[in-house]
Amino acid sequence: MAFTESHVLAAALVQDRLGLPGPSLQAASISRNKALQRGRFRTMASDSRTTG
C-alpha cells in the first residue's frame, strides 16, 4: 500500500512480485505519467465510439 504518490510504483512492483491484489504495475505507471494517461484516455474514447 502506498501512502504517497512517490511510492505508487514501488508498491505496485512489490504487490506484483508477491502476487498480492492491487493495481497492476501498468496501471500504476500510467497513473504517474500524464502523457500516458492522455494516450490511454484517447484510446479508450475511440474504442467506446466503435463499440457503443
Side-chain angles (χ1 to χ4, degrees), residues 4 12 16 33 39 48-50:
T4 65
D16 184 62
N33 184 309
S48 68
R49 285 186 214 129
T50 58

Side-chain angles (χ1 to χ4, degrees), residues 30-47:
I30 291 171
S31 75
R32 299 268 300 137
N33 184 309
K34 295 270 190 214
L36 291 176
Q37 287 176 27
R38 289 182 186 111
R40 186 69 168 175
F41 291 147
R42 231 183 335 272
T43 299
M44 297 305 289
S46 66
D47 288 350

Side-chain angles (χ1 to χ4, degrees), residues 7-20 23-26 28:
H7 297 139
V8 169
L9 291 177
L13 182 60
V14 169
Q15 70 87 22
D16 184 62
R17 295 282 167 99
L18 297 177
L20 300 171
S24 68
L25 188 53
Q26 180 184 16

